């Protein structure tokens, strides 16, 4: 009995670990445009150049099944050294929506915020900038978004 229970627990842990690292699982959870994250923007540029820059199709890298483009060879090299440092939070979906409703909502890759060294993206249209809403309740929304993302992904 103890052995079968132990085997069951091991199988569950293995399945959870596999599903979170499985590239197909990540591709299904992330906000991708024709298979590319961040609508083709360079994830490193948000941190190094302090602004989003469009990546080049000739400069690309994949991390656990997610494809990214880069604006410079230096940014590509930085990404390869520590990809998880540059990946957007919540799979690249709108942070405000993830916190407010737990939904995956498209983003404007030029509307972003760096919080504690992590990239957060927001929906922004002519009449609606969710970054402004996020800033008013950041602490509450971030906690809810973290929780909601764990349920989704």
């Amino acid at each position: 009995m103890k052995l079968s229970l132990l085997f069951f627990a091991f199988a569950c842990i293995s399945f959870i670990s596999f599903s979170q690292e499985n590239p197909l699982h990540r591709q299904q959870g992330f906000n991708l445009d024709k298979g590319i994250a961040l609508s083709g923007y360079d994830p490193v540029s948000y941190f190094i150049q302090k602004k989003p820059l469009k990546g080049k199709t000739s400069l690309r890298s994949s991390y656990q099944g997610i494809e990214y483009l880069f604006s410079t060879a230096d940014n590509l090299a930085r990404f390869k050294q520590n990809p998880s440092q540059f990946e957007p939070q919540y799979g690249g979906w709108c942070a405000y929506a993830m916190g407010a409703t737990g939904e995956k909502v498209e983003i404007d890759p030029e509307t972003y915020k760096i919080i504690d060294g992590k990239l957060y993206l927001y929906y922004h249209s002519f009449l609606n900038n969710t970054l402004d809403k996020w800033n008013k309740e950041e602490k509450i929304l971030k906690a809810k978004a973290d929780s909601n993302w764990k349920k989704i992904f």
Side-chain angles (χ1 to χ4, degrees):
M1 179 73 169
K2 282 187 176 183
L3 185 59
S4 62
L5 187 58
L6 184 62
F7 176 76
F8 178 74
F10 177 76
C12 288
I13 290 168
S14 296
F15 175 76
I16 290 168
S17 296
F18 173 77
S19 67
Q20 290 176 344
E21 294 174 12
N22 181 343
L24 183 57
H25 175 73
R26 284 177 46 90
Q27 290 167 357
Q28 292 169 346
F30 272 59
N31 184 1
L32 304 177
D33 182 13
K34 297 176 185 161
I36 305 291
L38 293 171
S39 300
Y41 280 78
D42 175 346
V44 178
S45 69
Y46 291 88
F47 298 89
I48 303 303
Q49 285 81 20
K50 306 288 188 216
K51 62 183 179 182
L53 298 174
K54 273 294 216 180
K56 301 173 184 173
T57 56
S58 60
L59 296 171
R60 62 175 55 216
S61 183
S62 180
Y63 175 62
Q64 295 182 351
I66 306 301
E67 196 76 23
Y68 293 95
L69 302 182
F70 300 88
S71 57
T72 68
D74 285 343
N75 284 4
L76 172 59
R78 285 178 193 261
F79 182 83
K80 286 182 175 183
Q81 288 176 348
N82 190 2
S84 63
Q85 175 185 352
F86 300 106
E87 276 203 309
Q89 298 303 290
Y90 316 127
W93 299 104
C94 175
Y96 172 79
M98 191 60 63
T101 63
E103 294 178 281
K104 294 178 181 178
V105 172
E106 292 294 329
I107 51 100
D108 171 1
E110 295 190 7
T111 305
Y112 71 98
K113 186 172 185 177
I114 306 290
I115 304 168
D116 296 328
K118 299 292 183 181
L119 175 61
Y120 295 81
L121 299 155
Y122 304 89
Y123 174 81
H124 184 192
S125 69
F126 181 69
L127 297 174
N128 186 11
N129 183 351
T130 61
L131 175 55
D132 294 338
K133 296 175 183 179
W134 173 272
N135 286 334
K136 291 176 185 173
E137 300 181 73
E138 183 175 291
K139 189 173 182 178
I140 293 167
L141 287 168
K142 186 179 176 314
K144 287 182 179 179
D146 290 346
S147 176
N148 287 337
W149 182 243
K150 285 179 184 173
K151 292 175 192 170
I152 292 172
F153 194 70

